[in-house]
Amino acid sequence: MPDIMGIINLSEDETAMRDIAKYRPIGAIPIAGRYRVIDFVLSNMVNIGIHNVSIFTQGKSRSIVEHLGHGKEWDLDRKKDGLFIFNPYVNPKDSTFHKGDIKNFIDQLDYIKLSKQKYVFLSRSYMICNVNLQDAFKYHKDSGADITLLYKKMQGEKDKFINCDNLTINEAGKVISVGKNIGKESNFNISMEMCFLKKSLFIDIIENSISKGETMYLKQAILQQVRKLNVNGYAFDGYLGCINSIENYYRVNMELLDIETSKELFYKNGYIYTNVKDEPPTKYTETANVTNSMVANGCIIEGTVERCVISRGVKIGKNAVVKDCVIMQKCSIEEGAVLQNVILDKNIEVSSGIELRGASKKPLVIMKNQKI
Amino acid sequence: MPDIMGIINLSEDETAMRDIAKYRPIGAIPIAGRYRVIDFVLSNMVNIGIHNVSIFTQGKSRSIVEHLGHGKEWDLDRKKDGLFIFNPYVNPKDSTFHKGDIKNFIDQLDYIKLSKQKYVFLSRSYMICNVNLQDAFKYHKDSGADITLLYKKMQGEKDKFINCDNLTINEAGKVISVGKNIGKESNFNISMEMCFLKKSLFIDIIENSISKGETMYLKQAILQQVRKLNVNGYAFDGYLGCINSIENYYRVNMELLDIETSKELFYKNGYIYTNVKDEPPTKYTETANVTNSMVANGCIIEGTVERCVISRGVKIGKNAVVKDCVIMQKCSIEEGAVLQNVILDKNIEVSSGIELRGASKKPLVIMKNQKI
Amino acid sequence: MSREKKEIIAMLLAGGQGSRLNMLTEKIAKPAVPFGGKYRIIDFTLSNCSNSGIDTVGVLTQYRPLELNRHIGIGSPWDLDRKDGGVTILAPFMGAEGGRWYKGTANAIYENFHFIEQYDPEYVLVLSGDHIYKMDYSLMLDYHKERASEATIAVITVPWEDTNKFGIMNVDDESRIVEFEEKPKQAKSNLASMGIYIFNWKTLRRYLAEDESDRKSHHDFGKNIIPNMLHDGISMYSYVFNGYWKDVGEVKSLWESNMDLLKEDNTLDLYDRNWKIYSKNPVNPPHYISSTGKVKSSLLNEGCVIHGEVNNCVLFPGVEVGRNSIVNDSVIMPDVKIGENVSIRKSIIMSKVIIPDFTVIEDRENNEVVLINE
Amino acid sequence: MSREKKEIIAMLLAGGQGSRLNMLTEKIAKPAVPFGGKYRIIDFTLSNCSNSGIDTVGVLTQYRPLELNRHIGIGSPWDLDRKDGGVTILAPFMGAEGGRWYKGTANAIYENFHFIEQYDPEYVLVLSGDHIYKMDYSLMLDYHKERASEATIAVITVPWEDTNKFGIMNVDDESRIVEFEEKPKQAKSNLASMGIYIFNWKTLRRYLAEDESDRKSHHDFGKNIIPNMLHDGISMYSYVFNGYWKDVGEVKSLWESNMDLLKEDNTLDLYDRNWKIYSKNPVNPPHYISSTGKVKSSLLNEGCVIHGEVNNCVLFPGVEVGRNSIVNDSVIMPDVKIGENVSIRKSIIMSKVIIPDFTVIEDRENNEVVLINE
C-alpha cells in the first residue's frame, strides 16, 4: 500500500457542459454506458492501493453521494481511512457563501493533517484515462521534485483540449510555465491536472493562501508555486479523454467505439470500478440490428442501432432507428422513432414517430426525465 | 418486518442547551457515557425491524454523519432502504436559506413517495426512552386513528418537562388539544413527539403546507390536523428523559445512576445501539475509589469518583476528586484536581490543582477541546 | 428482546455434487454452475430470500466449496452482509467425537442445530440451491401461519407422465397433505414437491433428533422426516406454486432452461425491477458489437465483444466471437474466446475455453447438446 | 492487473482443540477462548493483521467452529469485511476423491492451495491463532525482502531453562538460520520460534507439494517443512521480536497472562491508540459501581454491575457482583452472575456461570487456579 492520500477536487468549470451538468457536477455525469466521469480517476487510485480518498465538492453533491455510496465498489468502505465527501460549509445564520474552492480545503485541514499518509495525489475528475499511478509516483519520488504534474504530449488534435492547461517543459523535464491551450499550436503538453506532492507541502500551500488571502482557488495557489519550487512533469502516453464541454463529452463516447481504445481504457493498468446496478443481461430480439455500438446490461433491443453508446436499462422498440447517439440509462425509444446525433440524458421516453436530429459537431442534448 | 418507514426530524430547539449544542444538534450530544441522544429513538425503531430510516437535519450535520457512519451498528447499511441523512438544500448562487424545517421535507418528497412502506413513524431525537413501538403500532392500526401520538401521563415532576407539549385527552383516548407545559399543573400528559400515521396522510400534510404556504414547521402542519382528523394518544409508562435544556441533560445523566432506571432504559424492549469505539477495558489502579458511578470503557481511573457519569477514554489521576459530574469522552483530569457539579464536554484537560464547582441545580459547563 | 432473535431463517442445501451434470461440476458444486447469462444457479434461491425479507441464510456445503465461497463472499450482492444473521457458509466440522460429513439432507440440518438455535427462530425454511424459480417465501409463510400448519411443502403441478420422477403429494380438499409417495409408478396426484419446506422449528427439531438416532434412516427429508411426520398426524399443508420452476439437474435441462429465456412467452421475467435476481457483478465495460457483428434473439452481457454472428444464444460476460464465426442455439459461459471462422451449434461451452479458428462444434448425428470443457 | 492480486496474504491456523485448556475448550476452539476482559485469543492475531495492512486472511479451522464463526462473522471489527479478500473461514471440504480432514499444519495450508492461488501472492504469512502479542508484520515483511530471504521465522528469546519446550533456532552472525531443533534437551541457543513464518509463496508451494506425497511426513511446519528447507540450503532468516508474547496453552498460563495485564510494568499496552486490539463489541451500557461497590487494581468492562468488592481481577462484559461479595485475583468471563456474600480467589469463572449466595471458591490446599464451568 503506497503512502498516499487521494484528493479529488470537483470544483470544475461546468459552463460548457450545458444541461447535463445542470443538476450534477461533471464527476457525476454518466459516460460510456455504465460509468460516471469520476470512476476513472477513483479507480486509478484504488488500483495502486490508495485507500484514503476525499472528494471536495462545490455543493451539488447529491448525485455523487448516491453514486459512490459508502465506497463499497471501490473497496473504500473502511473503518480506518476510506472515502470522505466534503461539501463547502454554509453557515445558515449569516448566509455567506465563499467564492472559490480553497475555503473547503481550509475547513477540512484537520482531516488532511490527521491522515497518516505522507504524500498527496491531487486530481480533478474530468480527465479520463487509465494511468499507472505507481509508475508516476515512483518517478515523483526518484526525481526528488516538490511537485510532479502529469501531462500528455499532444501532436495535432488541436481542438480536443481547448481551454486546458498547457505546460512548457524543459529538456530536464521541469515545468517552466503553465499557460492555456487556445487551439493554436499543434505540438503541446496538456496538463492532466493530476499531481503528486508531499502532504506537508500541500498543507503549506493551503495555509499560505489563508494568511495571504490572495487566492480563492486551490489551482491558483498551486500554480503560484511553479516558479518557486521544483515542479516536474511526468509524461503519460495512453488514451486521454477530456470532459470539459458537451462536444468533448460526445467525442469521448464516440472514441470508445474503437475497441482498441476502450480495451486500453477499461483494462490496461487495472479495472475501472463503478456502482453496480444488478441489471439482467441485455436482450436482443429477432428484429434487432445493432452494429458498431457499445451496449450496457439490462437493455431490450428490438430496433436498429448504429455507432451508439447505450446505457443500462434502455429500451429500443421495433423499427426505431438510433444512429450516432449517446443514450443514458433508462431511456425508452419507442417503435419507429428516429434519432441521430442526439445525447439523451437519463430517463427520457421518446414516443413513437418522433424524429430528433443534431449535427455531428453539435449534438442535440435532451434534458433528463422527460417524455417527448 | 413492519410496514413502517422511520423519520427523525432534528429540527429541535437548542437554545437552552448552551455550549454543548453549539457545534452539534441535540441528537449528537454525548450522553450516558457512551451514547449520543439520537441512539435511543433510532434503536427503538430498528428493534422492531424498521429498516428504512431518514434523518432530517438543520444543517449542522457533520457530527451526526460521523456518529452514524453508514448505519452499520444499527444494521442499516443496506442496498435497499437503510439510512438516509438529508440536509436542507442551500443554493449557493442565490444564497437564500429557508426558515423552518418543512422545506427540507418538500425537497425530499420523492424519497418519501418512492419508499415502499405504507406507514410513517415520525419522531424527534430529544425524548429518551426504550419503548416497544410494536405495541404502539398495533394500537394505532387497531384503533383506526389517522394519527397516534405517544405520550406519558405525568404525576408531579412539574419542572422536568417545561416547554414540552401538553396533550388534553378525552376518555376515549382522543387528543382534544395540544398546549404547552409551563410547569403549573401536577397531572398532565407529555407528548413524546413521536407519532404513527399513514404515509399518504403524511405526504398530504406536506403538500398542503406547500400549496397553502402557511406553515414553515412540520410540527405546526401536523398540529393543525388535530381538530380535523382523528388523533389518538398512546400512553407509554416507562422511563422518559427529556433533553431540552442543559439542566435536564444533567438531570437525565444523574437519573441513570439508579441501576433499575438504567436497566430499563438499556435493556427492556431491546438493546440500545451506538457507534463502537473498540475501547479497551477500563483500568482501576490500587488508588482508585469509585462509588455510585457509571463508567464506560477505555478509562484509567486512579482517583476518587462519586455520583458521576464517565465517558469512554477518560483519565482521572491520583488524588483527583470528581463528584456529581458528567465527563464526556477523552477528558483528562490530572492529579489532585477537584470537580463538583460540572459537565465537561469532550477532550478537556483539567490540570493538576484546578478546582471547578457548579451548583447542583446549575451545573458548570465547560466547552470542548480545552486545556484548563 | 435481542435483535438476534429471528422469526424465520433459511437453511439452503448446497452440498450436491450433481454428478448428472458431469463435466460442469467436476470442479464446482452444482449450485455454483453458471446460468442465464450472468447468474449462478444458487443466485435464484438467495435472491428469493433477500426479496422475501429473509435476512439469515445458512448455506450447507461440503463438496468443493471454494467457487461457491468466492461467489457468495460476505453476501453483499444479496444484501446479506448483515451484522446479525446474513449469509453463513456451514461446512462440516470436527467435534470432540471426531469429524462428521453430512450423511443426508436432514442430517446436514441436524449437524447445524447450534447455528439455528442461536437465532431462536419460530420457523425454518429449508431450501435447495439447484432450482431456477422466483418465489416470495413470505407469502408461503403467511399461508403456513394462517393454516396453523406445522410443516408446509411447496408443490407444483407436473405433467402426469413425469410424476414418476418426483416426490408426489396427495392432498385433501383443504390442501392438507394426506400421503407422500417418492417417485410413484402410479401417481394419485400430479402435485410434485419442490423441495421447499417451512417447518415450525420446535417440531422439526424433535423429528431431526429422533431421526438422528434411527440407524436405518437415510437422514433425508423426503425419505424419512416427511413420512415420519405424516405417520404421526402432524398438521401438514401443501402450498401450490404457479410459475416457472426448473430443476437443472442434467446437461440437457441446463441447456433447455437457458434457451427458455430466449422465448417470447418465457415466464421467468428477469426484467422485473421489483424482484431482481442478484449476483456477483463482473467488472467489465458494456459489451461491444462491431461493424461486422450481428446479434439476434440472444442475451448478451458486459465485456462481450462480437465480431461474428450470434443467433439464439446466451452469452456470459467477457465472451469474444471472432469475424466470420457463427454461433447458434448455444450457451457460452464466461470469458470464452471464440476465434474466427468458427461454427458452433446447440452447445454449452464452459468458462474460459478457447475455441481456435475454423473449429466446428455440433452433434450432427444425434442432435444432442454438446458440452465443451477445457 | 486485477485488484485481487495481493502482495501478501495471511493463513491463520485456528484449528487447535487445545486440550490442555481442558474445560475451556470443551465447546469452543482455543482461539475463541476469552482473554483480557473483552477479547478472544484470536483477536490479537487478527488485529495485528489489520494494523499491519494485511487485508486478506484465511482462517483454517476444523474443530467446533461455530463460536469462532460467530465471533469473526464477516470480519467487520477488524475491517476485514472486504469486497476482495477480507477474512475467509476455511473448513475442510469434500473433493471428488472424498472428504479430508486436515492432517497437520502444513497439510491444512496445502488443502487450501486454490484459496491462496486466487490471490496470486508473492508472500504467505503463516500464523497461529493462540498467542497473545502485538506485532507489526509489515516490518517483518520489509526485513524478509531486504534480506532476500525465502523463509523468515519470527523468534523470541526465552529463558534457557525453557528452551526444551520450544522449537529452537540456531543462527549465524547474520541471523541466517543454520539449524532447527524441536524441543532440544541441550539447546545451543535460546531463540524460540514463535510459529510466525513468512514464505515466498513459490518456494512454499513446492515444499508443500513434496511434503504431501511423503507418506512418512507429519505434514507439520516445525517437524517437516522447515527442516526440509534447511536441508536444501534455502535462504532462511530469523527475525527477532522484542515485546510481550505468551502462549496461553494451559489454564495456569491463561490466568497468568490475564494477571499480567494488571501489573504496572505490563508491556502489552492495550491503551495504544495506534495499535488497537479489535474485537466484537458487546451491546451494553457502561459498567456501574454502586454505593456499596469497591474496585481496585482491576479491569472492568461494559455491562458490569458491582455491589461488592473486586481486587486484582479481570472482569468481562456483563459480570454482576452482589453485595458483601469479595472477588480477588480472578478472571470472570462474560455474563457471570455472582450472588451476595460470595468469596472467590485465584479462579477462572467461565461464561454465564451463576454463583449462588454464600459460595466460597478457592483452592486453599494447593493454591492452584480454580476453573469453574457450567
Side-chain angles (χ1 to χ4, degrees), chain B residues 35-91:
Chain B
Y35 302 91
R36 303 277 178 148
V37 169
I38 200 173
D39 293 342
F40 294 88
V41 64
L42 192 55
S43 298
N44 287 336
M45 288 197 273
V46 301
N47 279 333
I48 65 160
I50 293 177
H51 59 268
N52 183 14
V53 178
S54 52
I55 295 171
F56 287 76
T57 80
Q58 290 189 88
K60 263 192 307 192
S61 64
R62 197 173 305 164
S63 53
I64 282 284
V65 170
E66 271 171 28
H67 175 63
L68 299 178
H70 320 139
K72 204 175 214 173
E73 294 307 325
W74 294 266
D75 206 26
L76 289 173
D77 55 330
R78 290 172 184 256
K79 271 180 100 142
K80 289 181 286 188
D81 293 340
L83 182 71
F84 302 87
I85 299 176
F86 296 119
N87 299 310
Y89 184 72
V90 181
N91 188 336

Side-chain angles (χ1 to χ4, degrees), chain D residues 125-145:
Chain D
L125 171 66
V126 176
L127 299 166
S128 142
D130 42 12
H131 297 134
I132 304 290
Y133 65 110
K134 300 200 303 185
M135 181 173 177
D136 189 340
Y137 305 130
S138 73
L139 300 180
M140 180 170 169
L141 179 62
D142 290 346
Y143 175 93
H144 179 84
K145 288 195 278 190

Side-chain angles (χ1 to χ4, degrees), chain A residues 32-35 72 256-259 262-263 266-267 271-274 276-300 302 309-310 312-313 330, chain C residues 36-39 74 76-77 79 81 261-264 266 270-271 273 276-279 281-303 305 307 315 320:
Chain A
R34 66 191 286 270
Y35 302 90
K72 205 175 215 174
L256 294 179
L257 294 181
D258 177 73
I259 186 72
S262 81
K263 277 195 174 170
F266 293 115
Y267 299 112
Y271 294 145
I272 305 300
Y273 298 93
T274 190
V276 299
K277 294 285 186 188
D278 301 296
E279 290 285 351
T282 280
K283 187 169 197 165
Y284 292 87
T285 65
E286 185 58 40
T287 55
N289 181 7
V290 179
T291 52
N292 207 358
S293 293
M294 195 179 222
V295 185
N297 266 28
C299 300
I300 299 177
E302 303 185 88
V309 175
I310 311 284
R312 297 188 278 208
K330 292 192 185 168
Chain C
K38 68 169 280 192
Y39 311 100
I74 57 172
S76 321
D79 211 18
D81 50 339
L261 295 172
L262 303 175
K263 289 181 187 154
E264 291 277 327
N266 158 45
L270 296 175
Y271 297 83
R273 297 201 175 270
K276 279 191 178 182
I277 304 302
Y278 300 101
S279 189
N281 287 280
V283 183
N284 278 320
H287 59 264
Y288 174 70
I289 302 173
S290 78
S291 50
T292 58
K294 205 168 165 187
V295 177
K296 287 201 189 297
S297 306
S298 294
L299 296 185
L300 260 69
N301 278 283
E302 287 158 348
V305 176
H307 296 289
L315 269 55
E320 294 189 8

Side-chain angles (χ1 to χ4, degrees), chain C residues 65-73 89 280, chain D residues 4 114 118-119:
Chain C
L66 181 69
E67 195 78 14
L68 204 56
N69 273 336
R70 275 183 78 168
H71 179 64
I72 293 177
I89 299 202
K280 202 172 162 184
Chain D
E4 289 201 0
H114 290 289
Q118 69 179 302
Y119 299 107

Side-chain angles (χ1 to χ4, degrees), chain D residues 99-171:
Chain D
R100 294 190 292 198
W101 300 103
Y102 300 148
K103 288 173 288 187
T105 51
N107 170 255
I109 307 284
Y110 178 80
E111 291 281 344
N112 289 289
F113 188 86
H114 290 289
F115 171 80
I116 299 173
E117 287 282 288
Q118 69 179 302
Y119 299 107
D120 187 19
E122 296 300 311
Y123 309 103
V124 170
L125 171 66
V126 176
L127 299 166
S128 142
D130 42 12
H131 297 134
I132 304 290
Y133 65 110
K134 300 200 303 185
M135 181 173 177
D136 189 340
Y137 305 130
S138 73
L139 300 180
M140 180 170 169
L141 179 62
D142 290 346
Y143 175 93
H144 179 84
K145 288 195 278 190
E146 277 160 23
R147 303 279 166 131
S149 174
E150 291 188 71
T152 301
I153 301 177
V155 296
I156 191 161
T157 51
V158 294
W160 283 94
E161 63 269 27
D162 291 345
T163 48
N164 61 345
K165 294 179 197 155
F166 292 96
I168 296 297
M169 300 287 158
N170 301 320
V171 303

Side-chain angles (χ1 to χ4, degrees), chain B residues 35 47 130 259 261-272, chain C residues 1-2, chain D residues 283-286 302-305 317-318 320 335 337:
Chain B
Y35 302 91
N47 279 333
N130 191 333
I259 185 72
T261 301
S262 83
K263 276 195 174 170
E264 183 201 319
L265 185 62
F266 292 116
Y267 298 113
K268 192 174 180 191
N269 291 305
Y271 294 146
I272 305 300
Chain C
M1 190 177 67
S2 150
Chain D
V283 183
N284 279 320
E302 287 158 348
C304 291
V305 176
E320 294 189 9
D335 302 318
K337 307 294 171 208

Side-chain angles (χ1 to χ4, degrees), chain D residues 314-331:
Chain D
V314 174
L315 269 55
F316 284 74
V319 169
E320 294 189 9
V321 178
R323 273 163 204 266
N324 299 316
S325 290
I326 300 184
V327 189
N328 287 326
D329 310 323
S330 295
V331 178

